[in-house]
Amino acid sequence: MNLSQRDQQIIWHPYTQMKTADAPIGIVRGEGAYLIAEDGSYYLDMISSWWVNLHGHANPYIAEKVSKQLSTLEHAIFAGFTHEPAVKFAEMLLAVLPENMAKLFYSDNGSTAVEVALKMAIQFWYNKGTKRTKILAFKNGYHGDTFGAMAVGDRGIFTCAFHDMLFEVIFVEVPLERNEEDLLKSFKYITDNHDDIAAFIFEPLVQGTAGMVMYNAGILDKFIEVAKANNIITIADEVMTGFGRTGKIFAVDYLSQKPDIICLSKGITGGTMPLGVTVCTNEIYSAFLSDDKSRALFHGHSYTANPLACTAAIASLELLLSPDCQKQIEVISLAHIEFKNKINTHPNVLNVRTIGSIIAIEIKTSTATSYLNNIRDYLYNFFLDKRMILRPLGNIIYLMPPYCIEGQQLENVYQAIIELLEELKLKKL
Ligand code: PMP
């Protein structure tokens, strides 16, 4: 039996209808932007393996640092103890985060980074003796799959079995250019008329899972300003946007208003190991300081601040900040803009949007939305047949490549997209 067959006997995969899914592709090796399958095929990883990879698979620089760390210290309990990789990464990260960020809390994935942020915000008010427990969030957002993270995300098919169990959230529409001012007014109305809102959580500039929905920094600044005027804690979920995806190190670097809490994960280790961090201001942190032990933040995971993950994060951040990598991000961004201009007016394109190294193309479909699932599968398989890994979100295809992608590899994917658009014209999907 090959790897894929052995897997099918015993493994349950994420976000997968196991009854109808195709057999998983067994991957044996990674190299740059490629994942290499057991049959020897090279798959171009155009979504950075669920948005985590920054510098290519099996990156030798990160591998060397992690393997050295592995024989020095693999893990240590992080309550009552600390270690060099955790401290060093925190120092490095704080140096590149907005100035108001002061304290860093470690966890181990994007959902837990969000859980911690929500708990910080709610307990902040609890510790102050103020009853503020509601959360404000954008409609169609995605913040993870644990219960708190699900609660603040879109209430859709991913979450419907759990709706009765999710805590109360006030949802507001994400401001797009056509309705920015109206939505700002209603946001102001809501925040002025509720004195029980603890926090406002948002994916800055790009709602990833919603379909790479992009909105302006200027309007987000105004939303944050309104929230702050009402003493609402602002939480930027940069789990997807962080570490260069939007062209700057963080999406919040485009803002003049700075959030009180930032969640990071995914690209944090360059895609090497799971790690999450929640970073906050001194003001948030101070509300937990007390002679009364019960005011502490009672949250922690066994693998909190794992030294190997922190080491991978240090190495990945070093690579990210290097002039070579910054240049690469710029080259990808410019290539995306050029490609956008090329296909913008194609009859099968509804909308193309790009920011930094992300480009999203909304395919025009003449059929009703219920058909979109089929279109998603059609699109997925179209690219998979060409050994390119894309995971369309309904009728939206997007690219989020590792920064090491080469010009020709990117060009091949653009060509495949043009081919797809032409084919769709004939098929009239
Ligand atoms: N927040 C955002 C914005 C995300 O995109 C994701 C994952 N796609 C998460 C949180 C959850 O991260 P994880 O999958 O690591 O739990």
Side-chain angles (χ1 to χ4, degrees):
M1 271 197 295
N2 66 17
L3 188 55
S4 175
Q5 289 158 339
R6 279 164 51 214
D7 171 293
Q8 280 181 291
Q9 305 204 331
I10 45 171
I11 293 182
W12 191 347
H13 284 264
Y15 279 93
T16 303
Q17 174 43 262
M18 297 304 295
K19 182 171 179 189
T20 52
D22 288 335
I25 296 164
I27 296 298
V28 291
R29 206 158 59 78
E31 190 184 308
Y34 287 114
L35 287 172
I36 299 145
E38 56 185 333
D39 70 356
S41 303
Y42 278 59
Y43 287 88
L44 196 56
D45 187 354
M46 291 308 295
I47 52 160
S48 299
S49 276
W50 254 346
W51 317 347
V52 299
N53 192 286
L54 300 189
H55 311 295
H57 291 284
N59 180 281
Y61 183 71
I62 301 176
E64 192 205 321
K65 298 281 178 178
V66 173
S67 76
K68 229 185 197 162
Q69 180 62 41
L70 187 54
S71 47
T72 310
L73 174 69
E74 84 304 344
H75 189 62
I77 178 172
F78 207 60
F81 295 86
T82 192
H83 49 76
E84 175 69 20
V87 177
K88 184 169 175 193
F89 181 62
E91 288 167 351
M92 283 176 73
L93 190 61
L94 285 169
V96 291
L97 277 165
E99 266 176 23
N100 65 336
M101 290 293 110
K103 298 285 185 212
L104 186 150
F105 191 98
Y106 281 106
S107 63
D108 39 34
N109 60 69
S111 304
T112 54
V114 168
E115 293 289 335
V116 170
L118 295 171
K119 286 172 78 169
M120 276 180 182
I122 291 166
Q123 195 179 335
F124 172 90
W125 293 112
Y126 179 86
N127 282 358
K128 282 188 178 292
T130 309
K131 194 169 166 10
R132 280 188 182 238
T133 52
K134 290 212 177 92
I135 305 291
L136 197 53
F138 280 138
K139 267 187 196 153
N140 299 324
Y142 179 83
H143 298 285
D145 288 342
T146 50
F147 270 82
M150 272 198 294
V152 295
D154 183 44
R155 305 281 166 99
I157 58 158
F158 295 170
T159 54
C160 54
F162 315 107
H163 284 179
D164 289 349
M165 306 167 84
L166 302 178
F167 58 72
E168 191 179 339
V169 173
I170 303 172
F171 288 105
V172 291
E173 305 239 359
V174 74
L176 302 176
E177 257 163 51
R178 59 175 186 274
N179 57 13
E180 279 182 353
E181 288 309 315
D182 286 348
L183 292 180
L184 182 63
K185 264 191 221 146
S186 62
F187 187 75
K188 192 165 178 330
Y189 180 83
I190 291 168
T191 50
D192 286 350
N193 288 285
H194 284 83
D195 56 7
D196 56 353
I197 300 174
F200 166 45
I201 185 165
F202 52 86
E203 292 161 271
L205 309 192
V206 189
Q207 284 190 302
T209 306
M212 301 297 153
V213 173
M214 296 178 191
Y215 64 106
N216 290 326
I219 187 70
L220 181 56
D221 261 331
K222 289 184 190 163
F223 272 58
I224 296 175
E225 207 178 330
V226 167
K228 288 198 171 201
N230 288 285
N231 291 321
I232 294 169
I233 295 168
T234 51
I235 305 172
D237 176 354
E238 289 240 23
V239 168
M240 187 277 277
T241 50
F243 301 101
R245 295 295 184 196
T246 64
K248 296 200 186 232
I249 305 289
F250 303 105
V252 295
D253 294 340
Y254 286 94
L255 303 175
S256 0
Q257 294 286 332
K258 297 302 171 196
D260 305 297
I261 300 179
I262 298 177
C263 310
L264 297 164
S265 187
K266 290 212 186 260
I268 195 167
T269 62
T272 310
M273 322 229 4
L275 185 70
V277 302
T278 309
V279 200
C280 71
T281 60
N282 259 327
E283 196 194 344
I284 303 279
Y285 176 73
S286 304
F288 291 77
L289 303 179
S290 170
D291 292 329
D292 174 358
K293 280 192 180 142
S294 72
R295 299 240 171 129
L297 181 61
F298 293 106
H299 191 103
H301 300 278
S302 321
Y303 283 95
T304 294
N306 175 256
L308 301 173
C310 292
T311 300
I314 293 166
S316 177
L317 189 55
E318 282 169 355
L319 291 175
L320 178 69
L321 298 176
S322 72
D324 277 359
C325 185
Q326 290 300 309
K327 179 91 200 115
Q328 262 299 106
I329 295 173
E330 201 183 315
V331 167
I332 297 167
S333 309
L334 291 174
H336 281 347
I337 293 171
E338 205 175 298
F339 183 59
K340 174 185 159 170
N341 293 335
K342 198 166 175 180
I343 59 166
N344 224 352
T345 53
H346 191 284
N348 278 72
V349 170
L350 205 57
N351 179 270
V352 195
R353 41 189 182 267
T354 179
I355 181 168
S357 65
I358 309 169
I359 185 167
I361 301 138
E362 213 165 325
I363 306 282
K364 201 182 274 176
T365 54
S366 54
T367 39
T369 21
S370 61
Y371 192 60
L372 291 184
N373 281 344
N374 296 342
I375 287 181
R376 184 258 172 222
D377 291 348
Y378 175 83
L379 298 173
Y380 179 78
N381 288 321
F382 178 90
F383 291 105
L384 203 63
D385 286 348
K386 295 183 184 305
R387 303 289 183 262
M388 292 169 183
I389 308 175
L390 274 73
R391 275 180 70 91
L393 298 156
N395 63 327
I396 298 160
I397 51 177
Y398 70 89
L399 310 179
M400 199 191 290
Y403 305 142
C404 66
I405 190 146
E406 290 165 15
Q408 191 55 52
Q409 292 171 330
L410 202 51
E411 193 47 46
N412 293 346
V413 180
Y414 292 153
Q415 277 312 319
I417 294 173
I418 290 174
E419 206 181 297
L420 168 89
L421 293 172
E422 289 303 305
E423 193 174 306
L424 289 180
K425 212 156 71 178
L426 297 175
K427 277 191 183 298
K428 288 214 175 311
L429 276 179

